[in-house]
Structure formats: structure tokens, C-alpha cells
Amino acid sequence: EVHARNKKVAKNVKMDDVAKQTVGLTGADLENIMNEAAIFAAKRKHANVVQKDLIDAVESLRELLAADRAAREGRTIDL
């Protein structure tokens, strides 16, 4: 919830669900997720970040982290 401090988040967002999906991520990763969720919300013309925005942001970051890991190992992956 620290990283959601400066974001407009809908009251029904379940941050516990997000926390369960982001175990092991750094504070910077969590900040990136919240920023990405805010971008999704803006693109979708939501007044607040909703659960779907956060779910999509988590998935987006997972894909980027997987691609980064693969690149460091000399592999490529299809996103």
C-alpha cells in the first residue's frame, strides 16, 4: 500500500490479492506496477485504478522480467 499512496485507487481494490501475486518483487518493481496500473486506468478512462488495471500491470511486469532474465541468459522468448 505504500506504493499506492500517490495513486487514486478504487476502494474495492484488494491489495492483498496483488501482494500475493508479487511476492519477491522489489519496492521498485511494486512502484512500477502501480505506475503501469495508473497508465492502464488512464487509457481506459477510469477515474481510479481498479483491480483489472492492477492485474494487467502485474502481468505486464512479469513479462518484462521474464524477457530481461532470458536476455541475460542469452535466450529469447516470445511475448
Side-chain angles (χ1 to χ4, degrees):
E1 292 181 16
V2 169
H3 301 290
R5 201 177 292 164
N6 298 323
K7 307 289 185 289
K8 291 183 178 181
V9 179
K11 293 182 191 273
N12 64 344
V13 167
K14 298 175 185 170
M15 295 303 275
D16 288 345
D17 290 351
V18 176
K20 290 174 187 173
Q21 296 175 9
T22 58
V23 172
L25 296 182
T26 66
D29 292 333
L30 298 174
E31 184 69 28
N32 287 335
I33 287 170
M34 290 308 301
N35 289 338
E36 189 73 16
I39 291 168
F40 279 124
K43 286 181 179 178
R44 296 168 177 164
K45 301 193 185 323
H46 296 159
N48 299 304
V49 172
V50 298
Q51 198 75 36
K52 175 71 171 144
D53 300 323
L54 279 165
I55 290 168
D56 291 345
V58 168
E59 185 59 33
S60 177
L61 182 65
R62 279 192 185 146
E63 290 174 2
L64 289 173
L65 290 173
D68 182 56
R69 188 176 313 115
R72 283 182 291 168
E73 295 172 357
R75 300 180 291 117
T76 59
I77 60 171
D78 295 323
L79 295 179

